[in-house]
Amino acid sequence: MLNCRTGNRTGGSNPPLSARTLTHKEDYMFDFEKLEVYQICKQQNVEVLRYVKGNSTIDPYLKESWKVTSLNIVKNMVEGVSRIPKNEKKEFITASRGFVFECVALINLIVELHPEEKGKMEEFYGRYESLSKMLLGMIRSFEINH
C-alpha cells in the first residue's frame, strides 16, 4: 500500500517512489511505455520541443501550434491504449493519427516560409510518416473482423 503523505510503500519490498528513477523502470513500466510507436513518438516530441525552443525565426504561433499538436499525438495514443473497449481504443488512436497529419501540414508551411529549414523538416517528416504507418496498423488491429 502507498502512503500518500510520504510516498513510501508499506508492506512490500519496493523502494519509496522518490528512490525510483525513470531510467531503470523495467519492473514497473506502463503498458504504453513498452510500445515501439510510443518510444518513437516520445523521441519525436523531444526533438520538436528542442527545435522549437531553439528557433527564433519561425512565427511564434506556428511554433506553439506545432508543439501542442505534436503533444496531442502522444496524449491521444496513450489514452487509446488505456481504454478497454476496442471502439474507444480505435477512436483515440485515429485522433492521434489525425494529429500526425496536422503536424505534417504545419511543417510543410514552415518549409514554404523558411526554405532554409527544409533539411531539418525532412527529418521530422520521415518520423511522422513512420508514426502514421504504425498508428494505422494499430487502428486496423481494432477492426471488428480481427
Side-chain angles (χ1 to χ4, degrees), residues 129-142:
E129 185 176 28
S130 294
L131 285 171
S132 176
K133 289 176 182 179
M134 295 172 98
L135 291 169
L136 181 59
M138 289 178 76
I139 293 165
R140 288 182 175 156
S141 76
F142 300 129

Side-chain angles (χ1 to χ4, degrees), residues 80-120:
V81 171
S82 76
R83 296 300 174 125
I84 302 300
K86 284 186 178 182
N87 64 326
E88 288 183 17
K89 287 179 178 287
K90 186 177 177 182
E91 286 176 26
F92 281 96
I93 302 302
T94 301
S96 181
R97 189 166 182 253
F99 286 115
V100 170
F101 283 41
E102 288 184 35
C103 284
V104 169
L106 289 167
I107 65 174
N108 284 335
L109 286 172
I110 291 169
V111 169
E112 287 292 319
L113 296 170
H114 302 277
E116 70 278 6
E117 300 294 333
K118 185 177 181 179
K120 187 64 177 171

Side-chain angles (χ1 to χ4, degrees), residues 9 14-15 17 19-31 33-34:
R9 292 192 179 270
N14 289 334
L17 293 177
R20 294 182 178 183
T21 65
L22 291 177
T23 56
H24 296 93
K25 314 187 296 184
E26 304 82 31
D27 295 335
Y28 56 94
M29 290 177 77
F30 285 93
D31 288 342
E33 293 177 292
K34 298 172 188 172

